[in-house]
Every structure is written in structure tokens, then in C-alpha cells.
Amino acid sequence: MKVKAVDYAHDGRGVVKTGKDLIFVPNLMIGEEADIEITIKKSNYSIGEVKTYLSLSKDRVTPPCIYYQQCGGCQLQHMHYEHQLQMKHKRVSDALNHIAKLYVPVQPVVVSASPLLYRNKIQMAFANSKDGLIAGFYQAKTKKVLDIKTCLIEHEDGNEVIQTLKTLLDSYHVKAYDPVTKKGWIKYAVVKKGIETKELMLIIISQEPGFKKESQVVSALISNHPHIKTIIHQVNPSIYKVIGDTDRVIYGEGFIHDQLGDFTFKIRPQSFYQVNPPQAKKLYDIALDLAHITKNETVLDAYSGVGTISLFAARKAKHVTGVEVISDAVADATYNATLNQIENVDFVCAEVETFMLENKKHFDVVIVDPPRDGLQSSFIEAVMEMKPKKMVYISCEPSSLARDLKQLKTIFNVKKVVPVDMFSQTYHVESIVLLSLKTA
């Protein structure tokens, strides 16, 4: 079946239109023609697979990663970086147009200086093979682990630490946990890095307690990788999440630090900390420049995490209140404020929706950085009742952003939209939106 891609889906797949039918084709770029085979047929769309390319886009490049065609981690490595930015810009603009019915200019995407090797956190799954342990990522749309020696969007130190751990465990005949046979021990390894401090944290996650040759493994790891400041062992039998709730610190203090701008932040296994700190710094600077906070204004930072945005905002504001539901994150945020000698900020442990409904305090500026699902309707209604002068919405999902703006635009003007490329080589994109209260 000969086709031509005319658009992109949200995840970077090429869109083919044949009459009223839509076909989504991975690895097919706008303008490219190909001979495809339909692999999945649904009532309202189909999925195709390229058999032969008949014409290629001038913006197509050879993916730098040898695992790209099998691994599900990246979706856009076959696109020139400038074309990735164009695709993400259109994704944000289309969501605002089609969902929110907002027709406002979208600023150019803020470019990343490092489209590769940018992530400060690497998380790999372990599995068994005939040649021993393997570590890597799940193949696209499967639970089969792909043996990966180096991931090109993760920091190099993390790649190297996990390879060392794999070799050590394999030498002691440690097996990966198999969910089918219910046998084995190691499940995952996670490495977090302080980009500025160079400090490394290794988290080893197993199905059961006990750590064969623990002292020898720890000694070899810190000998080979002197930047490792702490190693944590977690027992986590859950199939729903990787990082557990209980840490057993087997080396160091159980946390590391990183610097973002002028601030120092504590990072623990459970801490949410942006995976691309240099781009995060650009994002926060832009958000606060747009908000134009003054020393007479109070700020609410909803979904405040470990207090990153709160501390940056506190430098400009009269007072900042951060609200976060995870108690450990609130404790870390409070620690970070003390560590950085910021006194005009406080942190509340609560659901942001509950806080807004129960706390009738007025804030001049509201900053939100919600999860991918966006804001709850109850939160939006509370904000609309409060009527802050300004609101800054930081989003990691254009569709939920557009859905929320459709409701918020009844009392706010959308003044500016700025996409930021935080996750190069993937279809994900952050956006910053400035809203100002409409005047009668």
C-alpha cells in the first residue's frame, strides 16, 4: 500500500489520510512516501509499518543510537533536531487551537544546548539471558528487556555505574527476578546525578531482602566510581512502581545534592527533581520573568515538589507558599529553604485541591506545575474564585494544558505561550503559559 504522510500524531508518528480513514505510521515523516503494511486495524484508525521508503524527507537523519529501532525510550531520533522542535511547536499550537479554541501566538521552542546525554537520572530493568544478566529498557510495547550498554540521552556516569553493577552481580551468580517463575533477586537499578556537584546516587531495587556479597559489591562500585556518594538498597515487590518507599542506606548518607542557579537542593531516591537541570533553569527563569513578581506580591506554588520554583520565586516575592501532597518532598523543600537561607517561604503538606477549598487566603500570583494529567476541576474552580492577578501554568502535556485553559480563559487572558525542549529525542514538550486576570 503506497502512502504519503501529511501530518504528525502527538507522539511523532506519521499520519496518513486515505479518504476518511487515518493510518498512523511510526518512523514516517511529513512529506515522505512509503510502501506500508497495515499491522493493526481498528474501527476508526489503523496502524501501519513501513516496508519500503519511496521518498525521504530532507530533515531525516540517521539515528545516533544503535538501539533506536527496538527501544521505546525515544521516538524522534530519526528527525533532525530543528525538525523535532518544529514538530513540538506544532503539537502545542494544535492542542491550543483544537481543544481550547485558543488562537494565540506560540513562541519558538526554547532550544536545548545538549540534545543528547542530558538526563540526570537513568533507570534500567534487569533480566536473565543465556549469557548471564542483562540490563536495559523495555522494548517498545513489550515487557522484554533490551540489553543496552549505553543510552545516549542519559548521563554517561549512570550508564557506566549500571554496567559495573551488572558485571559484579553476574560474577556472583545473582539472577534477575523473573515475574513468571517468581525466582531471582535484582529488579532495577537507578542512578541519579547532581549535574553541577558531580555527585552520584545508586539505588538497587530487589524483589526480596538479602544482598549476596553486599560488602564486596559496594567496595568495588565506589572504587571504580569515586563520585558515588551514596548507595541505597530497596526491597520493592510492587509491579506498579520502580522506586519503593523504604530505604536501606548501605553507603553514604542516603541523599546527594545538586546546584540549580544559586541554589543547592537535596535529592533523595523519592525526590522529584527535573531530569534536565540546565533546561529547568531556563524554564524557571522564563516563568518568573513572565510572572514579573514584585516584593509586594504573595505567591502560591502548587505542586511544589522539593521547592525548586518556590525558592526562585521567593527571591522576588513578598512571600511564597508551596503546597505538595508528598510529605517527604515537603520535608526536603523545608530543608532546602533552610539550606539556602530563604526565610520568606513556607511549605504545606496537602492536596492542592483541598488546600484551595479549605484555605481562603488570597494570593497575587499562582504558579502551577501539575502532573501530566493536568489540574483538577476543583482546583480550577478555586483559582477562578480567588481571582489572582496573574497565573503561570507550567505543563508537560499539551492536551491537558489546553483542556484546562479552555476553562481558565473565561476569567483570564492568555498572554504568552512558550514551549521548552526539556526532553530532546522524545515527543514530550514542556510549556509555560502566562495568564492575566481580565478586567471589567
Side-chain angles (χ1 to χ4, degrees):
M1 181 180 186
K2 292 181 174 57
V3 299
K4 181 178 182 178
V6 295
D7 202 352
Y8 289 121
H10 77 280
D11 57 3
R13 289 180 296 179
V15 175
V16 172
K17 296 180 180 178
T18 57
K20 293 183 179 180
D21 296 329
L22 287 179
I23 307 173
F24 300 107
V25 186
N27 210 350
L28 188 65
M29 295 175 60
I30 283 181
E32 289 186 336
E33 297 174 308
D35 189 3
I36 69 166
E37 179 182 333
I38 301 298
T39 55
I40 298 175
K41 190 167 183 62
K42 302 284 187 179
S43 59
N44 55 344
Y45 71 91
S46 299
I47 296 175
E49 180 182 301
V50 174
K51 307 309 290 182
T52 307
Y53 288 101
L54 303 176
S55 68
L56 295 177
S57 168
K58 63 179 176 56
D59 295 307
R60 176 176 284 277
V61 296
T62 301
C65 176
I66 60 173
Y67 309 106
Y68 177 63
Q69 302 298 345
Q70 300 162 278
C71 176
C74 296
Q75 303 83 36
L76 308 183
Q77 280 195 24
H78 60 289
M79 297 181 185
H80 190 279
Y81 183 58
E82 287 297 325
H83 194 76
Q84 292 184 32
L85 299 178
Q86 293 169 18
M87 177 257 170
K88 293 182 182 190
H89 185 277
K90 186 175 185 298
R91 187 180 172 212
V92 173
S93 183
D94 284 354
L96 296 182
N97 293 349
H98 300 154
I99 300 171
K101 306 303 178 189
L102 274 169
Y103 304 94
V104 294
V106 175
Q107 299 295 306
V109 181
V110 177
V111 176
S112 173
S114 304
L116 295 172
L117 301 173
Y118 61 86
R119 286 180 58 94
N120 62 2
K121 173 187 171 186
I122 181 170
Q123 172 181 300
M124 284 191 169
F126 282 74
N128 302 305
S129 76
K130 59 181 175 58
D131 298 318
L133 276 180
I134 61 172
F137 305 123
Y138 294 115
Q139 290 189 25
K141 296 181 172 51
T142 75
K143 279 294 183 180
K144 183 179 180 182
V145 176
L146 181 67
D147 189 17
I148 291 179
K149 302 296 189 295
T150 300
C151 171
L152 292 184
I153 63 171
E154 312 285 357
H155 59 83
E156 292 170 300
D157 289 339
N159 282 303
E160 292 167 1
V161 168
I162 290 180
Q163 290 305 310
T164 300
L165 175 65
K166 180 184 74 171
T167 301
L168 287 167
L169 294 179
D170 208 25
S171 71
Y172 292 124
H173 309 292
V174 174
K175 298 297 183 184
Y177 176 71
D178 185 330
V180 177
T181 64
K182 311 294 185 189
K183 294 180 179 179
W185 187 79
I186 180 75
K187 293 176 73 177
Y188 302 99
V190 178
V191 178
K192 293 188 174 188
K193 178 179 181 179
I195 297 298
E196 292 299 324
T197 63
K198 312 301 182 188
E199 295 179 359
L200 298 176
M201 169 195 295
L202 170 61
I203 310 156
I204 300 167
I205 298 112
S206 67
Q207 176 70 12
E208 296 176 347
F211 191 153
K212 188 176 181 181
K213 301 290 185 179
E214 178 181 301
S215 60
Q216 292 94 324
V217 171
V218 169
S219 178
L221 281 165
I222 59 178
S223 174
N224 281 281
H225 305 283
H227 285 303
I228 293 178
K229 296 300 177 185
T230 191
I231 301 175
I232 295 115
H233 174 221
Q234 292 186 346
V235 177
N236 184 20
S238 172
I239 61 172
Y240 300 108
K241 61 181 183 178
V242 173
I243 299 291
D245 299 319
T246 304
D247 300 335
R248 186 174 70 90
V249 179
I250 56 180
Y251 175 73
E253 297 182 278
F255 60 85
I256 59 173
H257 290 97
D258 195 19
Q259 279 188 286
L260 197 58
D262 296 331
F263 296 113
T264 300
F265 292 96
K266 177 183 180 181
I267 303 167
R268 298 182 311 104
Q270 297 82 5
S271 298
F272 172 77
Y273 186 70
Q274 290 282 7
V275 298
N276 189 344
Q279 285 299 92
K281 177 63 167 58
K282 292 181 188 176
L283 182 143
Y284 297 157
D285 286 346
I286 293 167
L288 295 174
D289 284 346
L290 292 178
H292 198 65
I293 299 166
T294 70
K295 283 295 182 183
N296 297 319
E297 292 178 320
T298 56
V299 177
L300 171 65
D301 178 14
Y303 309 93
S304 53
V306 297
T308 45
I309 299 175
S310 296
L311 298 195
F312 280 96
R315 283 270 179 89
K316 299 173 179 286
K318 180 180 179 181
H319 190 272
V320 177
T321 297
V323 181
E324 169 61 51
V325 70
I326 300 172
S327 60
D328 286 341
V330 173
D332 288 346
T334 303
Y335 170 94
N336 289 330
T338 302
L339 180 67
N340 291 283
Q341 300 180 314
I342 301 295
E343 297 180 349
N344 61 329
V345 61
D346 68 295
F347 295 96
V348 179
C349 185
E351 294 272 3
V352 292
E353 297 80 18
T354 304
F355 176 85
M356 292 292 282
L357 292 171
E358 294 180 352
N359 190 310
K360 298 302 181 182
K361 182 179 177 182
H362 182 271
F363 293 92
D364 300 302
V365 181
V366 173
I367 301 173
V368 296
D369 187 6
R372 201 168 298 281
D373 290 342
L375 301 172
Q376 298 291 322
S377 293
S378 57
F379 180 85
I380 294 175
E381 290 164 5
V383 168
M384 293 172 70
E385 184 179 334
M386 179 196 293
K387 295 184 172 61
K389 291 185 292 185
K390 293 168 284 190
M391 181 173 178
V392 177
Y393 192 141
I394 299 172
S395 165
C396 57
E397 174 49 54
S399 60
S400 59
L401 168 67
R403 179 204 65 209
D404 295 342
L405 291 179
K406 186 176 182 179
Q407 197 171 348
L408 289 164
K409 72 177 184 178
T410 58
I411 71 158
F412 289 103
N413 289 312
V414 176
K415 303 295 285 185
K416 189 160 279 192
V417 181
V418 184
V420 180
D421 185 33
M422 293 280 285
F423 313 105
S424 306
Q425 316 305 332
T426 80
Y427 65 82
H428 300 293
V429 58
E430 294 267 329
S431 302
I432 311 163
V433 179
L434 173 66
L435 303 104
S436 65
L437 188 65
K438 291 180 178 178
T439 54

